[in-house]
Amino acid sequence: EFVEKWHNRKWKMCVKNKSAERETMLEKYVLLDLENPNTRGNSICAIAVVLVENDKVVEKKYTLINPEDRFDPINARITGIDASQVQNAPTLKEYWSEIKELLSENVVIGHNVTYDLAVLSRTLQRYDLEVNKYRYSCTLELSKKYIKANSYKLRNLVQEVKYEYHTCDALEEALACGHLFQYIISHNT
């Protein structure tokens, strides 16, 4: 079970298990965002994983992904990604070794991250790849708890905190989510 706590102007995550409770400072985490080619929920056409250490971005991984699946017109309009753009891109199975460790060894932060992790898990299952249990925290849920807003869409929240980015770009959205996460931490301690 994951429990969030504020302490000494630092974000603390407490991991509780049967034998003990331990607290670790969240000084290292990854930001995750992905784009879908369709509404099936088991394929990805772009993914971004950003490693943050001590509040600084230290590594960015972004790629288009060949989903080996259809593109729904509405998804292509929203993401700006279509089949022609991913025909030479790696599949998730081919790219997975590049990001697996980052996602499995760090707390994953994302806006509505449970959705992204569910899609990622179902995509891994399509390729008969092992699905990890991820430690995560969701900026959508944190925003509802700590920010009074008319809308909790990422683009609206980051406008409120004076950050600009290009929507429907996995890397831009991951970085925007990181900015929102830092805002929540710095304004609620």
Side-chain angles (χ1 to χ4, degrees):
E1 174 186 338
F2 231 35
V3 181
E4 300 125 358
K5 288 188 178 179
W6 306 110
H7 184 322
N8 289 342
R9 300 190 51 80
K10 286 285 189 175
W11 184 251
K12 274 195 168 186
M13 297 300 236
C14 299
V15 181
K16 293 183 178 182
N17 60 38
K18 293 177 185 169
S19 60
E21 178 180 320
R22 74 170 206 259
E23 294 186 357
T24 56
M25 298 299 282
L26 187 59
E27 294 175 346
K28 182 178 173 184
Y29 56 89
V30 294
L31 304 166
L32 171 68
D33 192 69
L34 53 84
E35 302 297 339
N36 309 84
N38 56 50
T39 58
R40 294 166 72 160
N42 66 354
S43 58
I44 296 168
C45 62
I47 191 165
V49 179
V50 177
L51 178 63
V52 178
E53 289 185 36
N54 299 312
D55 302 330
K56 302 238 184 302
V57 171
V58 296
E59 186 175 4
K60 297 179 195 173
K61 293 199 170 275
Y62 169 81
T63 189
L64 292 175
I65 296 287
N66 182 339
E68 299 184 305
D69 201 355
R70 73 172 195 268
F71 277 78
D72 289 347
I74 191 165
N75 291 65
R77 272 194 311 277
I78 291 169
T79 64
I81 302 169
D82 63 32
S84 68
Q85 295 170 284
V86 299
Q87 64 187 5
N88 295 320
T91 64
L92 184 63
K93 185 175 185 174
E94 294 165 340
Y95 190 70
W96 183 234
S97 63
E98 296 285 322
I99 58 174
K100 177 182 179 181
E101 191 172 296
L102 284 172
L103 292 169
S104 61
E105 292 183 2
N106 295 289
V107 174
V108 179
I109 308 292
H111 201 72
N112 198 14
V113 73
T114 53
Y115 173 79
D116 285 349
L117 290 172
V119 171
L120 177 63
S121 296
R122 286 191 296 268
T123 305
L124 292 170
Q125 288 172 338
R126 276 185 51 219
Y127 290 110
D128 293 322
L129 295 171
E130 178 184 359
V131 176
N132 297 314
K133 290 188 177 187
Y134 300 102
R135 298 175 300 145
Y136 64 88
S137 189
C138 180
T139 58
L140 174 61
E141 295 304 317
L142 292 172
S143 296
K144 288 178 179 178
K145 187 173 181 179
Y146 294 107
I147 297 175
K148 184 173 174 31
N150 292 326
S151 169
Y152 290 94
K153 291 182 178 182
L154 181 61
R155 72 174 169 263
N156 296 350
L157 289 166
V158 297
Q159 283 176 345
E160 292 218 10
V161 301
K162 311 290 189 260
Y163 183 81
E164 294 182 22
Y165 75 105
H166 300 290
T167 60
C168 300
D169 175 295
L171 182 58
E172 288 277 327
E173 289 191 351
L175 293 168
C177 179
H179 186 80
L180 177 61
F181 184 67
Q182 286 300 321
Y183 176 88
I184 292 168
I185 291 169
S186 66
H187 287 81
N188 290 286
T189 56

Coordinates of all heavy atoms in Angstrom, one line a residue, residues 33-81:
D33 N 4.1 9.2 -19.5 CA 2.9 9.5 -20.3 C 3.0 8.7 -21.6 O 4.1 8.4 -22.0 CB 2.9 11.0 -20.7 CG 1.5 11.3 -21.2 OD1 0.5 11.3 -20.5 OD2 1.4 11.6 -22.5
L34 N 1.9 8.3 -22.1 CA 1.8 7.5 -23.3 C 0.7 8.0 -24.2 O -0.2 8.7 -23.7 CB 1.8 6.0 -23.1 CG 0.8 5.5 -22.1 CD1 -0.6 5.2 -22.8 CD2 1.3 4.2 -21.5
E35 N 0.7 7.6 -25.4 CA -0.4 7.9 -26.4 C -0.9 6.6 -26.9 O -0.1 5.7 -27.1 CB 0.1 8.9 -27.5 CG 0.7 10.2 -27.0 CD -0.3 11.1 -26.3 OE1 -1.5 10.9 -26.5 OE2 0.2 12.0 -25.6
N36 N -2.2 6.6 -27.2 CA -2.9 5.4 -27.7 C -3.3 5.6 -29.2 O -3.8 6.6 -29.5 CB -4.1 5.1 -26.9 CG -3.9 5.1 -25.4 OD1 -3.9 6.1 -24.8 ND2 -3.7 3.9 -24.9
P37 N -3.2 4.5 -30.0 CA -3.6 4.6 -31.4 C -5.1 4.4 -31.5 O -5.7 4.7 -32.6 CB -2.8 3.5 -32.1 CG -2.7 2.5 -31.0 CD -2.5 3.3 -29.7
N38 N -5.7 3.8 -30.5 CA -7.2 3.5 -30.6 C -7.8 3.4 -29.2 O -7.1 3.7 -28.2 CB -7.4 2.2 -31.4 CG -6.6 1.1 -30.8 OD1 -6.7 0.8 -29.6 ND2 -5.8 0.4 -31.6
T39 N -9.0 3.0 -29.2 CA -9.7 2.9 -27.9 C -9.7 1.6 -27.3 O -10.4 1.3 -26.2 CB -11.2 3.4 -28.1 OG1 -11.8 2.5 -29.1 CG2 -11.3 4.8 -28.5
R40 N -8.9 0.6 -27.8 CA -8.9 -0.7 -27.3 C -8.2 -0.8 -25.9 O -8.5 -1.8 -25.2 CB -8.2 -1.6 -28.3 CG -9.0 -1.8 -29.6 CD -8.3 -2.4 -30.7 NE -8.1 -3.8 -30.4 CZ -7.7 -4.7 -31.3 NH1 -7.6 -4.3 -32.6 NH2 -7.6 -5.9 -31.1
G41 N -7.3 0.1 -25.6 CA -6.6 0.1 -24.3 C -5.6 -1.0 -24.2 O -5.2 -1.3 -23.0
N42 N -5.1 -1.5 -25.3 CA -4.0 -2.5 -25.2 C -2.9 -2.3 -26.2 O -2.2 -3.2 -26.6 CB -4.5 -3.9 -25.3 CG -5.1 -4.2 -26.6 OD1 -5.2 -3.4 -27.5 ND2 -5.5 -5.5 -26.8
S43 N -2.7 -1.0 -26.6 CA -1.6 -0.7 -27.5 C -1.2 0.8 -27.3 O -2.0 1.6 -26.8 CB -2.0 -0.9 -29.0 OG -3.2 -0.2 -29.3
I44 N 0.1 1.0 -27.7 CA 0.7 2.3 -27.4 C 1.3 2.8 -28.7 O 1.9 2.0 -29.5 CB 1.8 2.2 -26.3 CG1 1.1 1.8 -25.0 CG2 2.6 3.5 -26.2 CD1 2.1 1.4 -24.0
C45 N 1.2 4.1 -29.1 CA 1.9 4.6 -30.3 C 3.0 5.6 -29.9 O 3.7 6.0 -30.8 CB 0.9 5.2 -31.3 SG -0.1 6.6 -30.6
A46 N 3.1 6.0 -28.7 CA 4.2 6.9 -28.2 C 4.3 6.7 -26.7 O 3.3 6.5 -26.0 CB 3.9 8.3 -28.6
I47 N 5.5 6.8 -26.2 CA 5.8 6.7 -24.7 C 6.9 7.6 -24.3 O 7.9 7.8 -25.1 CB 6.0 5.2 -24.3 CG1 6.0 5.1 -22.8 CG2 7.3 4.7 -24.9 CD1 5.8 3.7 -22.3
A48 N 6.7 8.2 -23.2 CA 7.8 9.1 -22.6 C 8.0 8.6 -21.1 O 7.0 8.4 -20.4 CB 7.4 10.5 -22.7
V49 N 9.3 8.5 -20.8 CA 9.6 8.2 -19.4 C 10.8 9.2 -19.1 O 11.8 9.2 -19.8 CB 10.1 6.7 -19.3 CG1 10.6 6.5 -17.8 CG2 9.1 5.7 -19.7
V50 N 10.6 9.9 -18.0 CA 11.5 11.0 -17.6 C 12.0 10.7 -16.2 O 11.2 10.6 -15.3 CB 10.9 12.4 -17.7 CG1 11.8 13.5 -17.2 CG2 10.3 12.7 -19.1
L51 N 13.3 10.6 -16.0 CA 13.9 10.3 -14.7 C 14.2 11.6 -14.0 O 14.8 12.5 -14.6 CB 15.1 9.5 -14.8 CG 15.9 9.1 -13.5 CD1 15.0 8.3 -12.6 CD2 17.2 8.4 -13.8
V52 N 13.7 11.8 -12.8 CA 13.9 13.0 -12.0 C 14.7 12.6 -10.7 O 14.3 11.7 -10.0 CB 12.6 13.7 -11.7 CG1 12.9 14.9 -10.8 CG2 11.8 14.1 -12.9
E53 N 15.8 13.3 -10.5 CA 16.5 13.1 -9.2 C 16.8 14.4 -8.6 O 17.2 15.3 -9.2 CB 17.9 12.4 -9.5 CG 17.8 10.9 -9.9 CD 19.1 10.3 -10.1 OE1 20.1 10.6 -9.3 OE2 19.3 9.5 -11.0
N54 N 16.4 14.5 -7.3 CA 16.6 15.7 -6.5 C 16.0 16.9 -7.3 O 16.6 18.0 -7.4 CB 18.1 16.0 -6.2 CG 18.6 14.9 -5.3 OD1 18.0 14.5 -4.3 ND2 19.7 14.3 -5.7
D55 N 14.8 16.8 -7.8 CA 14.0 17.8 -8.5 C 14.6 18.2 -9.8 O 14.2 19.3 -10.4 CB 13.9 19.1 -7.6 CG 13.2 18.7 -6.3 OD1 12.3 17.8 -6.3 OD2 13.4 19.4 -5.3
K56 N 15.5 17.5 -10.4 CA 16.1 17.8 -11.7 C 15.9 16.7 -12.7 O 16.1 15.5 -12.3 CB 17.6 18.1 -11.5 CG 18.0 19.2 -10.5 CD 18.8 20.2 -11.2 CE 19.2 21.3 -10.2 NZ 18.2 22.0 -9.5
V57 N 15.5 17.0 -13.9 CA 15.4 16.0 -14.9 C 16.8 15.5 -15.3 O 17.7 16.4 -15.7 CB 14.7 16.6 -16.2 CG1 14.8 15.6 -17.3 CG2 13.3 16.9 -15.8
V58 N 17.1 14.3 -15.2 CA 18.4 13.7 -15.5 C 18.4 12.8 -16.7 O 19.5 12.6 -17.3 CB 19.1 13.0 -14.3 CG1 19.3 14.0 -13.2 CG2 18.2 11.8 -13.8
E59 N 17.2 12.4 -17.1 CA 17.2 11.5 -18.3 C 15.8 11.6 -18.9 O 14.8 11.5 -18.2 CB 17.5 10.0 -17.9 CG 17.6 9.1 -19.1 CD 18.1 7.7 -18.6 OE1 18.2 7.4 -17.4 OE2 18.2 6.9 -19.6
K60 N 15.7 11.7 -20.2 CA 14.5 11.7 -21.0 C 14.5 10.6 -22.0 O 15.4 10.5 -22.8 CB 14.2 13.0 -21.7 CG 14.1 14.2 -20.8 CD 14.0 15.4 -21.7 CE 14.2 16.7 -21.0 NZ 14.2 17.9 -21.9
K61 N 13.5 9.7 -22.0 CA 13.3 8.7 -23.0 C 12.0 8.9 -23.7 O 11.0 8.9 -23.0 CB 13.5 7.3 -22.4 CG 14.8 7.0 -21.8 CD 15.0 5.5 -21.7 CE 16.5 5.2 -21.4 NZ 17.3 5.1 -22.5
Y62 N 12.0 9.1 -25.0 CA 10.8 9.2 -25.7 C 11.0 8.5 -27.0 O 12.0 8.6 -27.7 CB 10.5 10.7 -26.0 CG 9.4 10.9 -27.0 CD1 8.0 10.8 -26.6 CD2 9.6 11.1 -28.3 CE1 7.0 10.9 -27.5 CE2 8.6 11.2 -29.3 CZ 7.3 11.1 -28.8 OH 6.3 11.2 -29.8
T63 N 9.9 7.9 -27.5 CA 9.9 7.3 -28.8 C 8.5 7.1 -29.3 O 7.6 6.9 -28.5 CB 10.7 6.0 -28.9 OG1 10.8 5.6 -30.2 CG2 10.0 4.9 -28.1
L64 N 8.3 7.1 -30.6 CA 7.1 6.6 -31.2 C 7.2 5.1 -31.1 O 8.3 4.5 -31.1 CB 7.0 7.0 -32.7 CG 6.8 8.5 -32.9 CD1 6.8 8.8 -34.4 CD2 5.5 9.0 -32.3
I65 N 6.1 4.5 -31.0 CA 6.0 3.0 -30.9 C 5.1 2.5 -32.0 O 4.0 3.0 -32.2 CB 5.4 2.6 -29.5 CG1 6.3 3.0 -28.4 CG2 5.1 1.1 -29.5 CD1 7.6 2.2 -28.2
N66 N 5.5 1.5 -32.7 CA 4.7 0.8 -33.7 C 3.7 -0.1 -32.9 O 4.2 -1.1 -32.3 CB 5.5 0.0 -34.7 CG 4.6 -0.7 -35.7 OD1 3.4 -0.9 -35.5 ND2 5.3 -1.0 -36.8
P67 N 2.5 0.2 -32.8 CA 1.6 -0.5 -32.0 C 1.2 -1.9 -32.5 O 0.5 -2.7 -31.8 CB 0.3 0.4 -31.8 CG 0.3 1.1 -33.1 CD 1.8 1.3 -33.5
E68 N 1.5 -2.1 -33.8 CA 1.0 -3.3 -34.5 C -0.5 -3.5 -34.3 O -1.0 -4.6 -34.0 CB 1.8 -4.6 -34.0 CG 3.3 -4.5 -34.3 CD 4.1 -5.7 -33.9 OE1 4.0 -6.1 -32.7 OE2 4.8 -6.2 -34.7
D69 N -1.2 -2.4 -34.4 CA -2.6 -2.3 -34.2 C -3.2 -1.2 -35.1 O -2.4 -0.4 -35.6 CB -2.9 -2.1 -32.7 CG -4.2 -2.5 -32.3 OD1 -5.1 -2.9 -33.1 OD2 -4.5 -2.4 -31.0
R70 N -4.5 -1.1 -35.1 CA -5.1 -0.1 -35.9 C -5.0 1.3 -35.3 O -4.9 1.4 -34.1 CB -6.6 -0.5 -36.2 CG -7.4 -0.3 -34.9 CD -8.9 -0.5 -35.2 NE -9.7 0.0 -34.2 CZ -10.1 -0.7 -33.1 NH1 -9.8 -1.9 -33.0 NH2 -10.9 -0.1 -32.2
F71 N -5.2 2.3 -36.1 CA -5.3 3.7 -35.6 C -6.7 4.1 -35.8 O -7.2 4.1 -37.0 CB -4.3 4.6 -36.3 CG -2.9 4.6 -35.8 CD1 -2.1 3.6 -36.1 CD2 -2.5 5.7 -35.0 CE1 -0.8 3.6 -35.6 CE2 -1.2 5.7 -34.5 CZ -0.4 4.6 -34.8
D72 N -7.4 4.5 -34.8 CA -8.7 5.1 -34.9 C -8.6 6.5 -35.3 O -7.7 7.2 -34.8 CB -9.5 5.0 -33.6 CG -9.9 3.6 -33.2 OD1 -9.8 2.7 -34.0 OD2 -10.3 3.4 -32.0
P73 N -9.4 7.0 -36.2 CA -9.3 8.4 -36.7 C -9.3 9.4 -35.6 O -8.5 10.4 -35.6 CB -10.5 8.6 -37.6 CG -10.8 7.2 -38.1 CD -10.5 6.3 -36.9
I74 N -10.1 9.2 -34.6 CA -10.2 10.2 -33.5 C -8.9 10.3 -32.7 O -8.4 11.3 -32.3 CB -11.4 10.0 -32.6 CG1 -11.6 11.2 -31.6 CG2 -11.3 8.7 -31.8 CD1 -12.9 11.3 -30.9
N75 N -8.3 9.1 -32.5 CA -7.0 9.1 -31.8 C -5.9 9.8 -32.6 O -5.1 10.5 -32.0 CB -6.6 7.7 -31.4 CG -7.5 7.1 -30.3 OD1 -8.7 6.9 -30.6 ND2 -6.9 6.8 -29.2
A76 N -5.9 9.5 -33.9 CA -4.9 10.1 -34.8 C -5.1 11.6 -34.8 O -4.1 12.4 -34.7 CB -5.0 9.6 -36.2
R77 N -6.3 12.1 -34.8 CA -6.5 13.6 -34.7 C -6.1 14.2 -33.4 O -5.4 15.2 -33.3 CB -8.0 13.9 -34.9 CG -8.5 14.1 -36.3 CD -9.8 14.7 -36.5 NE -10.9 14.1 -35.6 CZ -11.6 13.0 -36.0 NH1 -11.4 12.4 -37.1 NH2 -12.5 12.5 -35.2
I78 N -6.4 13.5 -32.3 CA -6.0 14.0 -31.0 C -4.5 14.0 -30.8 O -3.9 15.0 -30.3 CB -6.7 13.2 -29.9 CG1 -8.2 13.4 -29.9 CG2 -6.1 13.5 -28.5 CD1 -9.0 12.5 -29.0
T79 N -3.8 12.9 -31.1 CA -2.4 12.7 -30.9 C -1.5 13.3 -32.0 O -0.3 13.6 -31.7 CB -2.0 11.3 -30.7 OG1 -2.2 10.6 -31.9 CG2 -2.8 10.6 -29.6
G80 N -2.1 13.4 -33.2 CA -1.3 13.8 -34.3 C -0.3 12.7 -34.8 O 0.6 13.0 -35.6
I81 N -0.6 11.5 -34.3 CA 0.2 10.4 -34.7 C -0.6 9.4 -35.5 O -1.7 9.1 -35.1 CB 0.8 9.6 -33.5 CG1 1.6 10.6 -32.6 CG2 1.6 8.4 -33.9 CD1 2.0 10.0 -31.3

